[in-house]
């Protein structure tokens, strides 16, 4: 059963070849923390979401491991080749998704991420 995560997509009405970016928040944060950044990415399709246990995804089953967060991110990509940018633990999930599904992760940008 797929967890119900709070996902928000901006400018999803663009063509299929539009650059897609997924922003992944870190610990003690939420997807809304990227709201100011999204305003600068108006020419791209941008997805932000609340990881399991955070903000509007509190009702999703608790993550049992890092693999759960990586699998959730792969599910968010939904088959779309995307640039994934993550902060702290979100960066670890981004790198894990890039390693597991390189055909879906066009590039990964990480900031202040610990080693898993």
């Amino acid at each position: 059963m797929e967890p119900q995560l709070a996902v928000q997509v901006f400018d999803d009405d663009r063509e299929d070849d539009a650059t897609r970016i997924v922003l992944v928040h870190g610990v003690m944060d939420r997807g809304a923390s990227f709201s100011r950044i999204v305003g600068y990415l108006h020419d791209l399709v941008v997805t932000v979401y609340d990881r399991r246990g955070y903000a509007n995804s509190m009702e999703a089953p608790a993550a049992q491991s890092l693999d759960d967060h990586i699998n959730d991110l792969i599910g968010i990509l939904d088959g779309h080749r995307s640039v994934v940018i993550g902060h702290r633990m979100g960066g670890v999930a981004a790198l894990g998704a890039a390693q597991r599904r390189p055909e879906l992760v066009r590039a990964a940008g990480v900031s202040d991420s610990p080693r898993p």
Side-chain angles (χ1 to χ4, degrees):
M1 180 173 126
E2 292 291 313
Q4 293 298 94
L5 302 177
V7 179
Q8 190 169 12
V9 181
F10 300 88
D11 290 330
D12 196 29
D13 56 346
R14 295 187 179 275
E15 300 84 42
D16 284 340
D17 64 342
T19 300
R20 295 177 173 273
I21 296 192
V22 178
L23 304 174
V24 189
H25 69 85
V27 176
M28 303 303 292
D29 217 341
R30 57 191 172 165
S33 65
F34 293 114
S35 62
R36 292 179 74 187
I37 294 170
V38 170
Y40 291 104
L41 303 174
H42 53 81
D43 54 338
L44 307 169
V45 177
V46 180
T47 301
V48 298
Y49 69 102
D50 294 328
R51 292 187 304 118
R52 294 185 198 208
Y54 294 89
N56 294 316
S57 292
M58 294 292 285
E59 300 299 318
Q64 301 300 309
S65 67
L66 175 59
D67 281 341
D68 288 340
H69 291 292
I70 294 169
N71 290 333
D72 290 346
L73 174 54
I74 290 169
I76 297 291
L77 295 174
D78 194 29
H80 296 286
R81 188 162 164 75
S82 304
V83 173
V84 181
I85 299 173
H87 178 248
R88 300 210 35 92
M89 190 53 115
V92 175
L95 291 173
Q99 181 181 26
R100 191 171 300 163
R101 297 292 305 273
E103 75 280 6
L104 291 179
V105 179
R106 181 182 207 169
V110 301
S111 172
D112 201 22
S113 295
R115 292 177 51 142

